Amino acid sequence: MNHATTSSHYIDTLCIGFGPAGLALACVYDEEFTAQGGTGSSSFLALEKAASCAWHPNLLLRNTDINHHVYRDLVTPRNPQSPYSFAMYLKEKNRLFKFGLLGRPASRFEWSDYMTWVAGKLKGYVRYDHAVQAIEPIVQDGQLSGFRVQGDGFTYESRKLILSNGSSPNVPAVFREHMGSYVFHASEYLDRLKAFNGDIPKRWLVLGSGQSAGEVIADLIAKKDDIHVVSVHRSIGFKVAQLGQFPNLVFLPENIEYFKGLDSEGRDRFFNHVKSTNYSGIDVDESQHLYSVIYEDEIVGRERLKMAVNSELLTLVRTDEGYHVTLRDSFTGALSEYVVDAIALGTGYQQPMVPGLLKPLEDFLVKDAQGGLQVDGQYQVALRNSDGVQIYVNGLSERTHGISDGQSFSAVAFRAGVIFESLQASVVVPFDYSI
Ligand SMILES: Cc1cc2nc3c(=O)[nH]c(=O)nc-3n(C[C@H](O)[C@H](O)[C@H](O)COP(=O)(O)OP(=O)(O)OC[C@H]3O[C@@H](n4cnc5c(N)ncnc54)[C@H](O)[C@@H]3O)c2cc1C
């Protein structure tokens, strides 16, 4: 078999997504190849749908900060000597000493700027404006022998894929037909607001009890005095996230091994014990701020923020007056009704059992008992009937690897190192697609 490839778009290792997970991987490649006196850009390429690098740009709001330690950046847990650490960023920006005096976490703006700084140094490893729409299997003699990765105006082929495209916004079914300019997920917040051209709707419903919901409410209320928000919660309202040292030990890499050793029932139980460290909770200062808004308004006799707690959404109807929403108290069954102009969903993110982009490869995916991907300790996806091809999930394995492997910075640097080592350990011969 001739293993030389004639395809001008063949890339040895193709990464989809250049958010923190993809960036962290590019850092490893660059460090390793620089150490070998070369460059890794010919063997590793990331395709990113955004036009540039930014960290959750639609939620880069005033007065928001990161909720992890700055040592958990893109590289430090893997290689404290990396040129791509947050400390190196501060040093180059001449803020190393000044940051030390801040006495608070880095702001979301600064953390996004740090990522933009790293991405600027790794330009050769990424193509922006490259939204991957499909991954087609290349099959030879019934065996999966490569991947064709396609988007608008581009096609790449590879035998090693790393999915780093992040979690997907969770949109409850009742909202799906209404999604658009006036009903949207929080992940679209700033773009949607900008599109109002200053004519911001006055009556809002914000669903959810997590950080994004809290931040969206605080931002809306600060925009204009005549904005009213109904804040809908399934439970008792905003709770403070579990910030204690002991529960947060769960984000240490050794806990990934612990979690992986559990059966599926044990994983579910364990996840339920620790999920309040990362989900459905807000910071102390945010809780204080939102509570103060309600309290101070009461003094002057107004109500800009109405808490609708223990509530489930019963119906949502679009009328001439706006969106007619009926809520039901989940304990008493009492109904309450609101008419609003816009709805923001702070309903979090999800990781599907099988990432949407892998659907065309279903025939080759080995599933576990729950129908999800089977992922090994090196984040490699189990494949059947395959000939030397590899797929890795980089930030999409919360179900199999635990809470630090989902929507968190905790494992980003460490995991990139593990994936890189695994790829280096396996020799995959490029395939000749011209046959
Ligand atoms: C507002 C907000 C604040 C957060 N704050 C923190 C925090 O303080 N600390 C913490 O630990 N975690 C935080 N998180 C969790 C967050 O998920 C992680 O910090 C981190 O962003 C995960 O990185 P990722 O690369 O896996 O995913 P993402 O950040 O989602 O990046 C995925 C990338 O893939 C790209 N992409 C998606 N689909 C495609 C496609 N089809 N083709 C090409 N490119 C694609 C996206 O454009 C994006 O750039 C926060 C999350 C949010 C939403």
Side-chain angles (χ1 to χ4, degrees), residues 17 20-21 47-49 55-56 66-68 132 165 407-409:
L47 304 177
E48 166 58 51
K49 71 176 176 185
W55 184 48
H56 297 300
I66 64 168
N67 51 30
H68 60 276
V132 172
N165 53 321
Q407 297 158 50
S408 158
F409 251 87

Side-chain angles (χ1 to χ4, degrees), residues 9-26:
H9 293 297
Y10 181 83
I11 297 289
D12 181 74
T13 305
L14 203 54
C15 173
I16 299 174
F18 207 53
L23 257 174
L25 202 59

Side-chain angles (χ1 to χ4, degrees), residues 187-250:
S187 57
E188 302 169 48
Y189 178 67
L190 284 179
D191 275 350
R192 292 290 182 192
L193 235 63
K194 205 154 72 187
F196 292 129
N197 273 327
D199 191 14
I200 301 172
K202 294 193 172 28
R203 300 169 301 174
W204 286 79
L205 190 100
V206 179
L207 217 84
S209 306
Q211 189 98 9
S212 301
E215 288 174 2
V216 163
I217 293 172
D219 191 70
L220 282 171
I221 282 176
K223 290 244 176 290
K224 282 182 179 169
D225 266 357
D226 57 354
I227 286 182
H228 294 260
V229 180
V230 181
S231 171
V232 182
H233 303 260
R234 212 182 290 146
S235 178
I236 196 65
F238 288 110
K239 295 177 191 162
V240 172
Q242 177 53 261
L243 300 171
Q245 282 85 354
F246 293 102
N248 277 282
L249 286 172
V250 74

Side-chain angles (χ1 to χ4, degrees), residues 318-362:
R318 178 90 179 97
T319 68
D320 287 346
E321 288 98 51
Y323 293 92
H324 198 114
V325 177
T326 308
L327 304 179
R328 179 170 58 196
D329 186 295
S330 50
F331 294 104
T332 66
L335 302 181
S336 49
E337 306 203 337
Y338 299 94
V339 181
V340 296
D341 306 310
I343 300 177
L345 304 176
T347 41
Y349 296 78
Q350 60 181 355
Q351 297 190 354
M353 299 291 257
V354 175
L357 283 173
L358 294 187
K359 293 277 186 204
L361 307 175
E362 284 272 7

Side-chain angles (χ1 to χ4, degrees), residues 152-409:
D152 205 3
F154 67 86
T155 302
Y156 286 93
E157 289 168 359
S158 183
R159 304 194 84 194
K160 302 175 196 166
L161 274 191
I162 304 169
L163 256 63
S164 311
N165 53 321
S167 303
S168 320
N170 175 40
V171 176
V174 63
F175 295 101
R176 286 186 200 144
E177 64 176 291
H178 299 281
M179 297 302 278
S181 306
Y182 291 89
V183 181
F184 52 83
H185 189 267
S187 57
E188 302 169 48
Y189 178 67
L190 284 179
D191 275 350
R192 292 290 182 192
L193 235 63
K194 205 154 72 187
F196 292 129
N197 273 327
D199 191 14
I200 301 172
K202 294 193 172 28
R203 300 169 301 174
W204 286 79
L205 190 100
V206 179
L207 217 84
S209 306
Q211 189 98 9
S212 301
E215 288 174 2
V216 163
I217 293 172
D219 191 70
L220 282 171
I221 282 176
K223 290 244 176 290
K224 282 182 179 169
D225 266 357
D226 57 354
I227 286 182
H228 294 260
V229 180
V230 181
S231 171
V232 182
H233 303 260
R234 212 182 290 146
S235 178
I236 196 65
F238 288 110
K239 295 177 191 162
V240 172
Q242 177 53 261
L243 300 171
Q245 282 85 354
F246 293 102
N248 277 282
L249 286 172
V250 74
F251 290 99
L252 264 50
E254 45 265 46
N255 263 303
I256 297 174
E257 284 310 309
Y258 180 84
F259 188 83
K260 284 185 71 260
L262 304 176
D263 61 19
S264 74
E265 187 269 335
R267 286 178 185 178
D268 286 350
R269 241 170 356 107
F270 186 82
F271 189 79
N272 274 331
H273 279 312
V274 299
K275 68 179 180 194
S276 59
T277 53
N278 205 31
Y279 296 112
S280 302
I282 60 174
D283 291 345
V284 179
D285 53 348
E286 204 181 349
S287 178
Q288 172 94 64
H289 172 69
L290 293 170
Y291 186 79
S292 298
V293 166
I294 296 172
Y295 186 86
E296 293 295 323
D297 276 359
E298 209 173 308
I299 298 171
V300 295
R302 66 177 176 180
E303 189 182 44
R304 287 175 298 164
L305 173 54
K306 161 93 185 152
M307 297 292 284
V309 299
N310 304 325
S311 293
E312 54 189 356
L313 192 132
L314 213 57
T315 57
L316 168 64
V317 182
R318 178 90 179 97
T319 68
D320 287 346
E321 288 98 51
Y323 293 92
H324 198 114
V325 177
T326 308
L327 304 179
R328 179 170 58 196
D329 186 295
S330 50
F331 294 104
T332 66
L335 302 181
S336 49
E337 306 203 337
Y338 299 94
V339 181
V340 296
D341 306 310
I343 300 177
L345 304 176
T347 41
Y349 296 78
Q350 60 181 355
Q351 297 190 354
M353 299 291 257
V354 175
L357 283 173
L358 294 187
K359 293 277 186 204
L361 307 175
E362 284 272 7
D363 289 350
F364 303 98
L365 301 174
V366 179
K367 308 276 186 62
D368 61 19
Q370 287 73 47
L373 294 180
Q374 203 165 294
V375 184
D376 75 8
Q378 281 70 50
Y379 302 94
Q380 190 171 352
V381 174
L383 296 172
R384 65 161 63 86
N385 299 334
S386 65
D387 177 17
V389 293
Q390 292 162 291
I391 302 177
Y392 289 80
V393 279
N394 184 17
L396 293 166
S397 54
E398 185 170 70
R399 203 177 62 84
T400 49
H401 291 60
I403 196 157
S404 65
D405 251 311
Q407 297 158 50
S408 158
F409 251 87

Side-chain angles (χ1 to χ4, degrees), residues 93-139:
K93 298 281 180 181
N94 197 24
R95 292 203 302 271
L96 193 55
F97 280 96
K98 291 176 203 158
F99 181 81
L101 293 171
L102 257 187
R104 61 155 172 80
S107 70
R108 200 95 59 67
F109 278 106
E110 186 167 32
W111 201 251
S112 184
D113 192 55
Y114 156 57
M115 261 174 289
T116 306
W117 175 83
V118 175
K121 293 182 181 292
L122 300 174
K123 282 194 201 98
Y125 296 88
V126 59
R127 300 279 178 280
Y128 292 108
D129 283 319
H130 275 54
V132 172
Q133 290 161 356
I135 302 172
E136 300 296 340
I138 297 173
V139 182

